[in-house]
């Protein structure tokens, strides 16, 4: 049975999380878009989520990429420009500090923003890829972000197929990254799940692989069907800042 903390009991829950972090030998973190909203990157299914205005199966699907490059490009050009201006928020820096102190061992993230690495985390598994690497979907050769944003054809094969190294719906996750994240989570004695609706497979299956304690930090309760020991309802940045006070 999960212990759920929110509102004026949230502080108590953060204290409990701190005790779990101090007692863990191999804590692992799994994050979703809710970890980035306080850096002004919209999430997908939250109250102001991206998928309230776009159908992901249209704009974020490999089929659309292949059949309607203009629509793909129009959607991602805006996402790219949002991502260029963002910075980590205090919650990201706290996770980097926790890794530095050995209190967390790795982060598996669904986010393509690169903000965990930018904040200083070294072991980050980008399960849905990243926007740093650009390549041609047709010949596989690398390309530059400028060529992608300018909607230029691949300079090698001349196809209009430049894309970021992100995972579209309908594509497999990067196998090495996926296997490494599974190994870390199976090894964990504490799994911290932060800012995800747990709606998207296969990442939403990862908590079932954790045999140790599990904690959910989210601003809405998405714990149904899982066995979280602790559920902290609130903003990721606030909860992490409250928790870190008890980690002395
Ligand atoms: N603090 C805590 N929780 C938050 C915050 C915040 N500041 N902001 C949003 N949330 C919560 C939302 O309420 C929601 O429950 O985070 C969750 C984000 O869920 P989604 O928007 O579904 O994002 P995510 O779970 O990462 O989506 C998974 O879906 O479309 C694909 O590839 C995309 O990687 C993404 C995947």
């Amino acid at each position: 049975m999960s212990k759920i903390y929110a509102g004026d009991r949230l502080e108590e829950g953060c204290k409990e999380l701190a005790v779990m972090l101090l007692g863990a030998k191999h804590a692992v973190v799994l994050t979703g878009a809710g970890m980035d909203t306080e850096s002004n990157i919209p999430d997908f299914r939250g109250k102001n989520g991206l998928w309230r205005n776009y159908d992901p199966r249209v704009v974020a699907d490999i089929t659309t990429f292949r059949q309607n490059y203009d629509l793909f490009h129009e959607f991602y050009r805006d996402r790219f420009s949002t991502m260029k201006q963002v910075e980590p928020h205090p919650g990201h820096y706290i996770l980097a500090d926790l890794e530095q102190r050995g209190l967390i061992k790795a982060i598996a993230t669904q986010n393509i923003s690169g903000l965990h690495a930018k904040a200083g985390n070294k072991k980050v598994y980008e399960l849905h890829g990243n926007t740093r690497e650009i390549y041609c979907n047709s010949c596989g050769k690398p390309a530059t972000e400028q060529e992608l944003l300018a909607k230029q054809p691949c300079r090698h094969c001349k196809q209009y197929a430049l894309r970021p190294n992100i995972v579209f719906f309908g594509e497999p996750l990067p196998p090495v990254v996926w296997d490494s994240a599974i190994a870390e989570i199976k090894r964990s004695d504490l799994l911290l799940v932060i800012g995800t609706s747990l709606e998207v497979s296969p990442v939403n299956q990862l908590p079932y692989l954790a045999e140790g304690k599990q904690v959910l930090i989210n601003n809405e309760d998405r714990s149904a069907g899982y066995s979280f020991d602790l559920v902290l309802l609130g903003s990721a940045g606030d909860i992490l800042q409250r928790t870190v006070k008890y980690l002395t």
Side-chain angles (χ1 to χ4, degrees):
M1 186 64 187
S2 306
K3 290 166 81 174
I4 300 181
Y5 291 94
D8 53 10
R9 292 196 61 220
L10 194 53
E11 191 70 20
E12 199 184 324
C14 294
K15 215 180 281 182
E16 215 169 300
L17 171 57
V19 170
M20 291 165 96
L21 278 165
L22 290 169
K25 291 185 180 55
H26 200 92
V28 173
V29 179
L30 171 63
T31 62
M35 184 70 213
D36 285 357
T37 52
E38 291 164 78
S39 288
N40 301 319
I41 299 178
D43 65 10
F44 298 97
R45 300 171 187 82
K47 54 184 183 311
N48 306 313
L50 217 52
W51 297 153
R52 295 194 185 284
N53 307 316
Y54 292 93
D55 176 352
R57 293 285 161 184
V58 174
V59 294
D61 194 292
I62 185 63
T63 316
T64 303
F65 174 86
R66 289 201 177 104
Q67 292 171 357
N68 189 339
Y69 189 75
D70 288 345
L71 177 59
F72 150 76
H73 193 272
E74 183 194 326
F75 175 72
Y76 270 96
R77 187 190 49 220
D78 300 349
R79 291 256 314 133
F80 258 50
S81 52
T82 308
M83 299 262 177
K84 292 301 289 172
Q85 297 129 34
V86 295
E87 289 299 325
H89 62 73
H92 289 110
Y93 288 112
I94 287 171
L95 292 179
D97 178 54
L98 293 185
E99 182 186 52
Q100 189 78 34
R101 294 167 59 181
L103 291 175
I104 66 170
K105 302 299 181 193
I107 297 180
T109 186
Q110 301 171 86
N111 301 339
I112 60 173
S113 63
L115 286 178
H116 286 306
K118 200 166 184 180
N121 280 90
K122 301 283 179 267
K123 199 179 254 193
V124 181
Y125 299 107
E126 295 176 316
L127 302 169
H128 290 169
N130 65 73
T131 55
R132 290 183 305 280
E133 296 146 2
I134 312 295
Y135 68 96
C136 171
N137 198 65
S138 175
C139 70
K141 291 256 182 21
T144 66
E145 185 182 288
Q146 291 69 28
E147 289 166 328
L148 170 61
L149 291 175
K151 207 157 65 171
Q152 288 175 5
C154 169
R155 61 180 183 280
H156 303 283
C157 72
K158 310 303 175 211
Q159 293 300 307
Y160 283 92
L162 300 188
R163 60 172 289 176
N165 187 20
I166 59 176
V167 178
F168 288 123
F169 282 105
E171 288 189 308
L173 272 61
V176 173
V177 170
W178 175 246
D179 292 346
S180 307
I182 286 181
E184 288 284 1
I185 289 175
K186 280 185 170 173
R187 194 175 154 201
S188 71
D189 56 353
L190 174 61
L191 176 66
L192 210 41
V193 178
I194 308 177
T196 176
S197 61
L198 291 167
E199 288 248 337
V200 175
S201 171
V203 173
N204 64 357
Q205 303 303 301
L206 287 177
Y208 298 120
L209 302 178
E211 287 155 20
K213 295 270 186 211
Q214 298 172 45
V215 178
L216 175 67
I217 295 175
N218 210 55
N219 66 7
E220 58 178 0
D221 190 350
R222 288 284 184 154
S223 63
Y226 292 91
S227 47
F228 288 106
D229 300 276
L230 194 59
V231 175
L232 305 179
L233 296 179
S235 97
D238 175 48
I239 289 171
L240 287 168
Q241 289 176 81
R242 290 175 187 235
T243 303
V244 80
K245 295 198 310 286
Y246 301 106
L247 290 176
T248 47

